[in-house]
Amino acid sequence: MIIFLMLVGLIAGVFFGFPTAFVLGGMAMIFGLIFVGPDIFGFFILQLESVMKNYTLLAVPLFLFMGVFIEKSGMAERLFNSLYLLAGGLRGGLGIATIVISALFAAATGVVGASEITIGLMALPAMLAKGYNKSMACGTICAGGTLGILIPPSVMIVVYGPIAGLSVGKLFLGAIFPGLLLVMLYILYLALRCYIRPQDGPPMAPAERDVPLKHKLYLLVTSVVPPAVLIFAVLGSIFFGIAAVTEAAAVGVIASMALAAAYRRLTLETIKQACLQTLQITSMILMIAVTASFFSTVFVALGGDDVISDLFLNLPFSKWGILFSIMGLLIFLGMFIDWIGIVFIVVPLITPIGASLGFDPVWFALLIMVNLQISFLTPPFAYSIFYLRGITPPEIKTTDIYRGVIPFVGLQIIGLALCILFPQIITYLPNLMLK
């Protein structure tokens, strides 16, 4: 009953709009003092020190800083202009180009908000001007933006690894193929829909794409090669065992600043804005990390981990039935709690369950992360929808965005199912990683 009240208090606090960090800390303080006593403060101090001394979490501000510089370097604009010319002649070509740009931008930033807003400001007006279906255009941008939370270097993976006791480098590599799988599913959907219904994604007029092939190739090379070098510098150094994740993040920061300088966007104002945005987001994440560790300490001290474990392991299902129950629970929680809260609250509880069922830990972790992508598109608290709503013109209604994301939620569930049916999609690259 105590554990039930603790969880109800947590969910109620978040549901009524209180900041997640303060809800976690408040519940930990109240239940800790009542049922453990003043000694709980000693445990809180140890947990605070543990989080602050976690070397891997140092990669969080570094990747955020890198992402801000990539956003301000003009890379997305150059990518869009080149792919706009190359794919605009196809039915649904602008939508396909938007997904490709989103994937490349995700691999260079690891942040959903920055990717979606930057790409949305360019792609949405272009698609609406060409007569694209409003709902499809909005859904494409929302779904493309969520790739930033999965395709490495993802901030979610950096946070997830230490909590679950897993190698962030292996999680990075394990996320590559699931991310590409979702990209392919989105592209196939857009191509098929626009083939059946050409009016949803008409091609560009021949006169608009009448640009010399030499110029098209120049635009493509100058826009794709720099981010490709940046991505290889970060992920390649991890894959080949040259650098740890935090060191690779530092390499990414230097490379992103060099890229901004090459595009003549490296200014004192840019550095100032990058520092401020990084400080704000990092402070939020680490505040939740600290208070979540307080909550977990009290929860475990009261036997909550055993209650949750027994609840799932005693379900009248096979291990696959239990897995699908966990996936369903995460989809439901994703409608009301952001990914940060779910990772810090739920992951420490369900990771031992996955181990008890004999699942590969990297595979199980990536299934959860693929699942958490869905939370960005499922109302009422669908952050991807809110990001886009803030930049849409008046003719776009919120209902247009909701209708647009529904097919992509289905595609994300299909991608999750394929990762369950074919574990090698996740495990192949981590198994090749150099020790």
Side-chain angles (χ1 to χ4, degrees), residues 69-90:
F69 259 99
I70 292 297
E71 174 194 353
K72 296 184 180 301
S73 69
M75 185 189 78
E77 182 180 352
R78 297 174 73 90
L79 274 171
F80 184 76
N81 290 336
S82 59
L83 292 176
Y84 181 89
L85 290 174
L86 290 172
L90 303 173

PDB file of all heavy atoms in Angstrom, residues 69-90:
ATOM      1  N   PHE A  69      25.616  24.254 -31.753  1.00  0.00           N
ATOM      2  CA  PHE A  69      26.501  24.800 -32.783  1.00  0.00           C
ATOM      3  C   PHE A  69      26.139  24.282 -34.171  1.00  0.00           C
ATOM      4  O   PHE A  69      26.209  25.016 -35.165  1.00  0.00           O
ATOM      5  CB  PHE A  69      27.965  24.473 -32.459  1.00  0.00           C
ATOM      6  CG  PHE A  69      28.696  25.622 -31.850  1.00  0.00           C
ATOM      7  CD1 PHE A  69      28.866  25.697 -30.487  1.00  0.00           C
ATOM      8  CD2 PHE A  69      29.184  26.658 -32.629  1.00  0.00           C
ATOM      9  CE1 PHE A  69      29.517  26.767 -29.904  1.00  0.00           C
ATOM     10  CE2 PHE A  69      29.835  27.733 -32.069  1.00  0.00           C
ATOM     11  CZ  PHE A  69      30.011  27.793 -30.700  1.00  0.00           C
ATOM     12  N   ILE A  70      25.755  23.003 -34.245  1.00  0.00           N
ATOM     13  CA  ILE A  70      25.326  22.456 -35.537  1.00  0.00           C
ATOM     14  C   ILE A  70      24.080  23.189 -36.016  1.00  0.00           C
ATOM     15  O   ILE A  70      23.943  23.535 -37.196  1.00  0.00           O
ATOM     16  CB  ILE A  70      25.044  20.948 -35.413  1.00  0.00           C
ATOM     17  CG1 ILE A  70      26.356  20.199 -35.170  1.00  0.00           C
ATOM     18  CG2 ILE A  70      24.368  20.423 -36.670  1.00  0.00           C
ATOM     19  CD1 ILE A  70      27.360  20.307 -36.277  1.00  0.00           C
ATOM     20  N   GLU A  71      23.166  23.452 -35.097  1.00  0.00           N
ATOM     21  CA  GLU A  71      21.936  24.161 -35.445  1.00  0.00           C
ATOM     22  C   GLU A  71      22.239  25.547 -35.998  1.00  0.00           C
ATOM     23  O   GLU A  71      21.629  26.000 -36.974  1.00  0.00           O
ATOM     24  CB  GLU A  71      21.059  24.276 -34.199  1.00  0.00           C
ATOM     25  CG  GLU A  71      19.805  25.113 -34.391  1.00  0.00           C
ATOM     26  CD  GLU A  71      19.151  25.470 -33.089  1.00  0.00           C
ATOM     27  OE1 GLU A  71      19.572  24.965 -32.029  1.00  0.00           O
ATOM     28  OE2 GLU A  71      18.215  26.298 -33.119  1.00  0.00           O
ATOM     29  N   LYS A  72      23.220  26.238 -35.404  1.00  0.00           N
ATOM     30  CA  LYS A  72      23.506  27.615 -35.784  1.00  0.00           C
ATOM     31  C   LYS A  72      24.531  27.731 -36.910  1.00  0.00           C
ATOM     32  O   LYS A  72      24.827  28.833 -37.375  1.00  0.00           O
ATOM     33  CB  LYS A  72      23.998  28.391 -34.549  1.00  0.00           C
ATOM     34  CG  LYS A  72      22.943  28.508 -33.458  1.00  0.00           C
ATOM     35  CD  LYS A  72      23.412  29.338 -32.304  1.00  0.00           C
ATOM     36  CE  LYS A  72      22.326  29.437 -31.224  1.00  0.00           C
ATOM     37  NZ  LYS A  72      21.078  30.037 -31.721  1.00  0.00           N
ATOM     38  N   SER A  73      25.098  26.596 -37.332  1.00  0.00           N
ATOM     39  CA  SER A  73      26.115  26.638 -38.383  1.00  0.00           C
ATOM     40  C   SER A  73      25.528  26.812 -39.777  1.00  0.00           C
ATOM     41  O   SER A  73      26.253  27.100 -40.725  1.00  0.00           O
ATOM     42  CB  SER A  73      26.944  25.350 -38.347  1.00  0.00           C
ATOM     43  OG  SER A  73      26.162  24.242 -38.759  1.00  0.00           O
ATOM     44  N   GLY A  74      24.211  26.607 -39.907  1.00  0.00           N
ATOM     45  CA  GLY A  74      23.582  26.689 -41.224  1.00  0.00           C
ATOM     46  C   GLY A  74      23.605  25.377 -41.991  1.00  0.00           C
ATOM     47  O   GLY A  74      23.235  25.323 -43.157  1.00  0.00           O
ATOM     48  N   MET A  75      24.014  24.290 -41.314  1.00  0.00           N
ATOM     49  CA  MET A  75      24.112  23.001 -41.983  1.00  0.00           C
ATOM     50  C   MET A  75      22.763  22.520 -42.483  1.00  0.00           C
ATOM     51  O   MET A  75      22.644  22.021 -43.607  1.00  0.00           O
ATOM     52  CB  MET A  75      24.711  21.960 -41.034  1.00  0.00           C
ATOM     53  CG  MET A  75      24.967  20.608 -41.670  1.00  0.00           C
ATOM     54  SD  MET A  75      25.427  19.358 -40.472  1.00  0.00           S
ATOM     55  CE  MET A  75      23.829  18.952 -39.767  1.00  0.00           C
ATOM     56  N   ALA A  76      21.725  22.663 -41.655  1.00  0.00           N
ATOM     57  CA  ALA A  76      20.401  22.184 -42.057  1.00  0.00           C
ATOM     58  C   ALA A  76      19.897  22.933 -43.282  1.00  0.00           C
ATOM     59  O   ALA A  76      19.279  22.340 -44.176  1.00  0.00           O
ATOM     60  CB  ALA A  76      19.421  22.346 -40.896  1.00  0.00           C
ATOM     61  N   GLU A  77      20.147  24.218 -43.337  1.00  0.00           N
ATOM     62  CA  GLU A  77      19.700  25.023 -44.474  1.00  0.00           C
ATOM     63  C   GLU A  77      20.358  24.567 -45.764  1.00  0.00           C
ATOM     64  O   GLU A  77      19.711  24.440 -46.807  1.00  0.00           O
ATOM     65  CB  GLU A  77      20.020  26.491 -44.202  1.00  0.00           C
ATOM     66  CG  GLU A  77      19.558  27.441 -45.286  1.00  0.00           C
ATOM     67  CD  GLU A  77      19.903  28.874 -44.965  1.00  0.00           C
ATOM     68  OE1 GLU A  77      20.364  29.147 -43.841  1.00  0.00           O
ATOM     69  OE2 GLU A  77      19.719  29.726 -45.849  1.00  0.00           O
ATOM     70  N   ARG A  78      21.668  24.294 -45.707  1.00  0.00           N
ATOM     71  CA  ARG A  78      22.389  23.830 -46.895  1.00  0.00           C
ATOM     72  C   ARG A  78      21.906  22.443 -47.318  1.00  0.00           C
ATOM     73  O   ARG A  78      21.746  22.164 -48.519  1.00  0.00           O
ATOM     74  CB  ARG A  78      23.886  23.816 -46.620  1.00  0.00           C
ATOM     75  CG  ARG A  78      24.481  25.182 -46.324  1.00  0.00           C
ATOM     76  CD  ARG A  78      25.935  25.077 -45.912  1.00  0.00           C
ATOM     77  NE  ARG A  78      26.766  24.759 -47.067  1.00  0.00           N
ATOM     78  CZ  ARG A  78      27.331  25.660 -47.855  1.00  0.00           C
ATOM     79  NH1 ARG A  78      27.146  26.960 -47.618  1.00  0.00           N
ATOM     80  NH2 ARG A  78      28.086  25.291 -48.876  1.00  0.00           N
ATOM     81  N   LEU A  79      21.666  21.566 -46.335  1.00  0.00           N
ATOM     82  CA  LEU A  79      21.152  20.238 -46.647  1.00  0.00           C
ATOM     83  C   LEU A  79      19.796  20.324 -47.330  1.00  0.00           C
ATOM     84  O   LEU A  79      19.537  19.635 -48.328  1.00  0.00           O
ATOM     85  CB  LEU A  79      21.034  19.409 -45.368  1.00  0.00           C
ATOM     86  CG  LEU A  79      22.267  18.650 -44.893  1.00  0.00           C
ATOM     87  CD1 LEU A  79      22.017  18.075 -43.509  1.00  0.00           C
ATOM     88  CD2 LEU A  79      22.635  17.555 -45.873  1.00  0.00           C
ATOM     89  N   PHE A  80      18.923  21.157 -46.785  1.00  0.00           N
ATOM     90  CA  PHE A  80      17.577  21.261 -47.337  1.00  0.00           C
ATOM     91  C   PHE A  80      17.613  21.789 -48.771  1.00  0.00           C
ATOM     92  O   PHE A  80      16.909  21.276 -49.642  1.00  0.00           O
ATOM     93  CB  PHE A  80      16.712  22.170 -46.466  1.00  0.00           C
ATOM     94  CG  PHE A  80      15.280  22.255 -46.917  1.00  0.00           C
ATOM     95  CD1 PHE A  80      14.405  21.216 -46.667  1.00  0.00           C
ATOM     96  CD2 PHE A  80      14.821  23.354 -47.623  1.00  0.00           C
ATOM     97  CE1 PHE A  80      13.087  21.278 -47.098  1.00  0.00           C
ATOM     98  CE2 PHE A  80      13.506  23.428 -48.054  1.00  0.00           C
ATOM     99  CZ  PHE A  80      12.639  22.386 -47.779  1.00  0.00           C
ATOM    100  N   ASN A  81      18.430  22.794 -49.020  1.00  0.00           N
ATOM    101  CA  ASN A  81      18.501  23.364 -50.369  1.00  0.00           C
ATOM    102  C   ASN A  81      18.990  22.351 -51.394  1.00  0.00           C
ATOM    103  O   ASN A  81      18.482  22.293 -52.512  1.00  0.00           O
ATOM    104  CB  ASN A  81      19.427  24.591 -50.364  1.00  0.00           C
ATOM    105  CG  ASN A  81      18.827  25.765 -49.634  1.00  0.00           C
ATOM    106  OD1 ASN A  81      17.605  25.871 -49.505  1.00  0.00           O
ATOM    107  ND2 ASN A  81      19.660  26.654 -49.127  1.00  0.00           N
ATOM    108  N   SER A  82      19.967  21.522 -51.007  1.00  0.00           N
ATOM    109  CA  SER A  82      20.499  20.541 -51.955  1.00  0.00           C
ATOM    110  C   SER A  82      19.514  19.396 -52.183  1.00  0.00           C
ATOM    111  O   SER A  82      19.252  19.009 -53.340  1.00  0.00           O
ATOM    112  CB  SER A  82      21.846  19.993 -51.460  1.00  0.00           C
ATOM    113  OG  SER A  82      21.703  19.375 -50.197  1.00  0.00           O
ATOM    114  N   LEU A  83      18.946  18.858 -51.110  1.00  0.00           N
ATOM    115  CA  LEU A  83      17.981  17.766 -51.261  1.00  0.00           C
ATOM    116  C   LEU A  83      16.669  18.254 -51.865  1.00  0.00           C
ATOM    117  O   LEU A  83      15.962  17.488 -52.524  1.00  0.00           O
ATOM    118  CB  LEU A  83      17.728  17.097 -49.910  1.00  0.00           C
ATOM    119  CG  LEU A  83      18.920  16.326 -49.327  1.00  0.00           C
ATOM    120  CD1 LEU A  83      18.596  15.792 -47.942  1.00  0.00           C
ATOM    121  CD2 LEU A  83      19.312  15.175 -50.245  1.00  0.00           C
ATOM    122  N   TYR A  84      16.349  19.508 -51.643  1.00  0.00           N
ATOM    123  CA  TYR A  84      15.160  20.115 -52.254  1.00  0.00           C
ATOM    124  C   TYR A  84      15.253  20.001 -53.778  1.00  0.00           C
ATOM    125  O   TYR A  84      14.281  19.646 -54.462  1.00  0.00           O
ATOM    126  CB  TYR A  84      15.078  21.576 -51.819  1.00  0.00           C
ATOM    127  CG  TYR A  84      13.884  22.347 -52.345  1.00  0.00           C
ATOM    128  CD1 TYR A  84      12.701  22.370 -51.628  1.00  0.00           C
ATOM    129  CD2 TYR A  84      13.950  23.067 -53.530  1.00  0.00           C
ATOM    130  CE1 TYR A  84      11.601  23.086 -52.084  1.00  0.00           C
ATOM    131  CE2 TYR A  84      12.865  23.787 -53.996  1.00  0.00           C
ATOM    132  CZ  TYR A  84      11.695  23.793 -53.264  1.00  0.00           C
ATOM    133  OH  TYR A  84      10.609  24.500 -53.722  1.00  0.00           O
ATOM    134  N   LEU A  85      16.437  20.289 -54.332  1.00  0.00           N
ATOM    135  CA  LEU A  85      16.624  20.215 -55.786  1.00  0.00           C
ATOM    136  C   LEU A  85      16.693  18.775 -56.279  1.00  0.00           C
ATOM    137  O   LEU A  85      16.177  18.445 -57.346  1.00  0.00           O
ATOM    138  CB  LEU A  85      17.911  20.947 -56.174  1.00  0.00           C
ATOM    139  CG  LEU A  85      17.895  22.473 -56.048  1.00  0.00           C
ATOM    140  CD1 LEU A  85      19.275  23.045 -56.325  1.00  0.00           C
ATOM    141  CD2 LEU A  85      16.875  23.079 -57.011  1.00  0.00           C
ATOM    142  N   LEU A  86      17.314  17.894 -55.499  1.00  0.00           N
ATOM    143  CA  LEU A  86      17.509  16.513 -55.949  1.00  0.00           C
ATOM    144  C   LEU A  86      16.238  15.679 -55.872  1.00  0.00           C
ATOM    145  O   LEU A  86      15.963  14.876 -56.767  1.00  0.00           O
ATOM    146  CB  LEU A  86      18.609  15.852 -55.122  1.00  0.00           C
ATOM    147  CG  LEU A  86      20.037  16.360 -55.374  1.00  0.00           C
ATOM    148  CD1 LEU A  86      20.993  15.766 -54.363  1.00  0.00           C
ATOM    149  CD2 LEU A  86      20.484  16.004 -56.795  1.00  0.00           C
ATOM    150  N   ALA A  87      15.449  15.843 -54.802  1.00  0.00           N
ATOM    151  CA  ALA A  87      14.278  14.985 -54.592  1.00  0.00           C
ATOM    152  C   ALA A  87      12.962  15.668 -54.904  1.00  0.00           C
ATOM    153  O   ALA A  87      11.915  15.008 -54.916  1.00  0.00           O
ATOM    154  CB  ALA A  87      14.255  14.491 -53.151  1.00  0.00           C
ATOM    155  N   GLY A  88      12.993  16.972 -55.155  1.00  0.00           N
ATOM    156  CA  GLY A  88      11.745  17.704 -55.365  1.00  0.00           C
ATOM    157  C   GLY A  88      10.953  17.258 -56.568  1.00  0.00           C
ATOM    158  O   GLY A  88       9.741  17.470 -56.636  1.00  0.00           O
ATOM    159  N   GLY A  89      11.611  16.618 -57.527  1.00  0.00           N
ATOM    160  CA  GLY A  89      10.902  16.173 -58.717  1.00  0.00           C
ATOM    161  C   GLY A  89      10.095  14.912 -58.529  1.00  0.00           C
ATOM    162  O   GLY A  89       9.307  14.533 -59.412  1.00  0.00           O
ATOM    163  N   LEU A  90      10.249  14.248 -57.393  1.00  0.00           N
ATOM    164  CA  LEU A  90       9.503  13.027 -57.113  1.00  0.00           C
ATOM    165  C   LEU A  90       8.187  13.353 -56.415  1.00  0.00           C
ATOM    166  O   LEU A  90       8.056  14.383 -55.756  1.00  0.00           O
ATOM    167  CB  LEU A  90      10.328  12.108 -56.197  1.00  0.00           C
ATOM    168  CG  LEU A  90      11.715  11.684 -56.692  1.00  0.00           C
ATOM    169  CD1 LEU A  90      12.438  10.928 -55.588  1.00  0.00           C
ATOM    170  CD2 LEU A  90      11.606  10.837 -57.954  1.00  0.00           C
TER     171      LEU A  90
END
